[in-house]
Amino acid sequence: MRKMRTLFGFVHCCCCCFLLLLPPPLWVSLAAAKQLLRYRLAEEGPADIRIGNVASDLGIVTGSGEVTFSLESGSDYLKIDNMTGELSTTERRIDREKLPQCQMIFDENECFLDFEVSVIGPSQSWVDLFEGRVIILDINDNTPTFPSPVLTLTVEENRPVGTLYLLPTATDRDFGRNGIERYELLQEPGGDGGRRGGGGSASAAESALYPGGSKRRQEPDGAARSSVFELQVADTPDGEKQPQLIVKGALDREQRDSYELSLRVRDGGDPARSSQAILRVLITDVNDNSPRFEKSVYEADLAENSSPGTPILQLRAADLDVGVNGQIEYVFGAATESVRRLLRLDETSGWLSVLHRIDREEVNQLRFTVMARDRGQPPKTDKATVVLNIRDENDNVPTIDIRKIGRIPLRDGVASVAEDVLVDTPIALVQVSDRDQGENGVVTCTVVGDVPFQLKPASEGEGEPQNKRKYFLHTSAPLDYEAVREYNVVIVAVDSGSPSLSSNNSLLVRVADTNDNPPVFGQAVLEVSFPENNSPGERVATVVATDADSGKNAEIFYSLEPSPLSSEAPGGIFSIDPDSGDVLVQAVLDREQRDTYEFQVTARDKGAPALQGSTTVVVRVADRNDNEPRFMQDVFTFYVKENLQPNSPVGMVTVMDSDRGRNAELSLSIQPGEQDQAAGIFSIENDTGTIYSTISFDREQQTSYTFKVKALDGGEPPRSATATVNLFVMDENDNPPAVTFPSNSSYTVLPPSSNLRTVVATVLATDADTGLNADLNFSIVGGNPFKLFEIDPASGVVSLVGKLAPKHYGLHRLVVQVNDSGQPPQSTTALLHVFVNESLSNATVVESQVARSLHTPLAQDIAGDPSYELSKQRLSIVIGVVAGIMTVILLILVVVMARYCRSKGKHGYEAGKKDHEDFFTPQQHDKAKKPKKDKKGKKGKQPLYSSIVTVEASKPNGQRYDSVNEKLSDSPSMGRYRSVNGGPGSPDLARHYKSSSPLPTVQLHPQSPTAGKKHQAVQELPPANTFVGAGDNISIGSDHCSEYSCQASSKYSKQTRGLYQM
């Protein structure tokens, strides 16, 4: 029996070797599409760190040595096991911060190493290349460091509390939470921490730095808080942390000129890394002392007309600073241009002297400031006020100025005085002045000659300056035009200087008769209402003025003048009778062009000089209903989208009426158009002219509406106007395409001999929309795994573009999608069934397949003969199995005969008869009956694989095996069996081995050793690895099929069972 098992193992090896001779596509299937492998690995790891298994991630079974792996790129840091596909690190250490591709990457998830791995078949009969990426994870392997162990910061003394200084930042080559987390200001190293500016003791300096007797206040993690400085950390916009030193105490360089602190930086790693540097703060001297004048105000007297170069006074200032900060220069501060022009200031000595002669009559006092400025940075200043009084000298004669006063005219030294003026009436103003000061400016003024005039002071105030006085020239007696018509009045002025100076001036007084009463109107403003559309020459109003004078002075004539508020002359429209004052209109008034006219009526007497008065006339034009309503357009055109909500505005009309009041009150209404399109559909809002719809528009039912809008005013009689409204309904993509041909349940027969570009069918579709919304395009979105068919996107013509093969025989279900070009687009899906066969002999079968496809999900492809490829594989399997069985039978016969003869010759135990019966029982009908059937010809020849039971197993994850070379599952429940092309008379080999064969079960291992290795037989395997199945599952002619034969999940999935024999 042991030898028999050895024979079966040998046969098994022979069968496996025979399978290995088949082409690789029949026994191995790898993913056709490239797959991106992704792994994660921390940096700084040792060598041989496992990253992942490429074989398991790609779903490739390893162990036999037939499939190998090779790393094509990325071998600097990575390596792969050629047999197992195990990916691991090499001896070269991976430092994330030193990788060139990661130098500018600040996101740890973006630093990666790319590699390529190839999967190689036996003897490199096929090669697949896959790309992979290893993301390098950052670890806390770098300590944050400062740019220098000693950081120097210069701070000026007397900086205000709260002044902020930026400190140098530390750098950390790690990122994320391993980067810099915080900065700390630690206790000053060395105890004292700085030098004293004034030589004070260390305890005094510490008391200044930490007042209250405590040197420092300890904070968590050893940080110390200073009373002079404080650390603040700010977050910058780019996510960095910026340390800042804030001054929170007084800084005086004279008391302490430096501080030394410790600045520590920590990262956020676990454990955290930190480093520290000495922060040396140097206090620099500033110009904090200003110059000081000896006194704030300097005052001096200077005689006018002093010669240039005459010294006036010296300004002195002192500065407590030394060096440049103590050097003082003197400059003018707030000084006028005249001061800078007349005086000179020495910048070094501070002496003030005369630059140009000074005239007291032009400038009697110079008041300005002088700045004392040191040369520090920034410079400090002090200012002093200088008051320079100019002493007067008698160098100016008095001046007499005669001017008019009141109503008495005075021009060119001549005054005209009416004869009826009262005595003591001022007729002129005399102003006497002397530019000198003091006694030199005291002036005496008198009238010379015998004239009826005298001078009287204009004011009796004691505060009046002595060098500038005003007098009134009064009449001292009545004037008589008939006696004396003019007087020459001479005025003389003398000052009190030594020697005294004098001057004179004269005035010619002419006596005249005066018209002292102007014409007067009864009203200042006269308003008149006058209707439009008048007749030219109509009287508008009458104006009357009176004059209290008599004679010529009381004779009045009227004239029109423009209004002060309007420069337009009224002469072209209105006129006035100069004697009666009747105002006439000379043109037809139109209120719509102008509703108000305003002008002035002037009344002048005939006196000498003539006096006049005026009044304002306002003519308001009254309205008449003489204008019809007017629309802005005769035809309004609006476009509105369909499906608009009811009671929505669809347009707005604008109408105007040039009239006013009730004549301009308009009422709007909708007037139905042709065939009463607008009846009950539209309404209009009277105030705004907005048109509303009461329905929701449907362009497919009606594309446009035409109606009229009427406007009626409120005048007597009323006037009206109409406008036409054209409303066009714009299309929206609210209708999907409708497929009119073919129907989903129909099919088309296509002969296999059809040529390329043969028109299979034409998909017809319509769309109720218009424009782009009705522009249709066709596409095949499913059911075309072999790319045999192509559809014209515009016409919908389906053509044959691939050559038909036997595997394409059968039903093809094409999923055609029809899309319109609207936004958003709408689509419709239709099914086109194409039956590929020479003829249609059994339409019922095809119709049942079409009916079954209507219930099959569209994601599954129905395309051609599903069992064609499987039958080719079975043919190869059957040939191998039959050859193996014949070999086994021959070997069994040879061995049995040899043992039988040997045992019979030795007269030993005769077990051969029973063995002979057992071994030969299954074979009797094969030798006796098959030749007779062939000779009689009663039954046609059947292929060798017609009764072979196919073994199919599911992968653990539910996927099917696409090749017989894939390993079957070890689970007894995973195997399924079905008969291929076997009728009720076909023998079942699985049942035969189950019931008749006494031999042990033998597994045909899918990965047998190559021909160069020793053949081995796998014996005593569990029943799940045999060709034996349950009786119900392997019954002859069973309709049950495997999951593989009934589902369609890939390009080469099978849709139906059996070959089409039509």
Side-chain angles (χ1 to χ4, degrees), residues 120 181 223 259 325 331 372 394 420 476 526 547 641 661 698 725 775 820 886 896 912 943:
I120 307 170
E181 183 183 55
Y259 297 86
N325 295 333
V331 294
N394 193 20
D420 56 350
S476 58
L526 177 62
D547 195 331
K641 291 185 178 180
D698 189 353
V725 176
D775 186 11
D820 60 27
M886 298 301 296
V896 171

Side-chain angles (χ1 to χ4, degrees), residues 84 227 341 344 348 512 548 779 964 1044:
T84 64
S227 63
R341 178 174 55 86
R344 177 181 178 275
T348 305
S779 61
V964 297
Y1044 170 73

